[in-house]
Structure formats: C-alpha cells, structure tokens
Amino acid sequence: MSVRHLSTAAAAAVLAVVVCAAPAAAQVAVAAEKDDGSGRGPAMAASIVALIGVVLGGLALARKLGSGLSGPVASVVASAAGIVIGAVALAGSDDVGSGSGRGGAIVALLLGVVGLALGGLALAKARRAVSA
C-alpha cells in the first residue's frame, strides 16, 4: 500500500470517527452531570484525535507522507475534529481536578490548534510544490 493510499485511508478513518464520535461525545458530556470522573472519556478521545493531527502535520511538513495534498488535509481534518470534540467535552465539564475532563479538553484544544498550524503550513508548502 502506497503512502498516498495510506494517508487517504487515514483521513477517511478520522472523518468516520468524527462523524460517529461527536454525537456520542455530546451525549456523554451532557449525561456526565455527576462528579465521578465519567467525563474523561470524550476529553481523552479529543486529545488523541488532536495528537494524531499534530503527528500527521509534522510528518506532512517534513514530507514523510509524500508530496501530495492528502497528508496535510488529513492533519487539518484530524486537528479540527480534536478541537470540536474537545469543545464539546469542555462545555460539559466542571472545574479542573473534579474528574470531569476539563483539563484533557483544554489540552485537546491546544493540540488541535498546533495541529491546524502544522497542517496549514504543510498544505501551503504542498500547494507551492504542486503549482511550481
């Protein structure tokens, strides 16, 4: 399997996870009104998805994913998904340290912004390479 097919499959998988996980994360965030630590799941999922976006952005910026646009696009999609899921988890959380996932949601938002920046830089670099 070539790198181009692998990165396209990764982008499709991330998109499928976002479509399936966002409603579930919203439901868990709304249902987690008690302070028993059950809000950590969506925040952790958001952090993992955003971290995947950062890693894909770094690899795309270093051109380890090939010279196409699929690597940077996958990074931007994963980072945006991490931001969305993190925002939903942050909206349904209490104070930091209560076990509701606020700290993880904040980390997910920060990682998502870093992933968007790396993916955007890699996308600009790839577009310059394609047009030249």
Side-chain angles (χ1 to χ4, degrees), residues 4 7-8 10 13 33 37 40 55 70 73 78 84-85 127 129 132:
R4 179 174 290 161
S7 60
T8 304
E33 292 295 325
R40 292 183 186 144
V55 169
S70 59
V73 170
V84 168
I85 298 170
R127 284 187 178 169

Side-chain angles (χ1 to χ4, degrees), residues 5 13 16 25 44 53 55 59 64 73 77 86 88-89 91-92 103 105 113-114 117:
H5 291 193
M44 221 165 163
V55 169
L59 289 174
K64 301 288 185 190
V73 170
V77 168
V88 169
V113 169
V114 170

Side-chain angles (χ1 to χ4, degrees), residues 24-116:
Q27 183 179 8
V28 168
V30 170
E33 292 295 325
K34 54 188 183 288
D35 293 332
D36 62 351
S38 62
R40 292 183 186 144
M44 221 165 163
S47 296
I48 290 170
V49 171
L51 183 62
I52 290 171
V54 170
V55 169
L56 287 175
L59 289 174
L61 194 57
R63 294 202 182 192
K64 301 288 185 190
L65 293 179
S67 61
L69 295 175
S70 59
V73 170
S75 170
V76 169
V77 168
S79 300
I83 289 174
V84 168
I85 298 170
V88 169
L90 186 63
S93 64
D94 293 333
D95 293 331
V96 174
S98 65
S100 63
R102 178 168 283 225
I106 292 171
V107 168
L109 292 175
L110 293 175
L111 284 173
V113 169
V114 170
L116 278 177

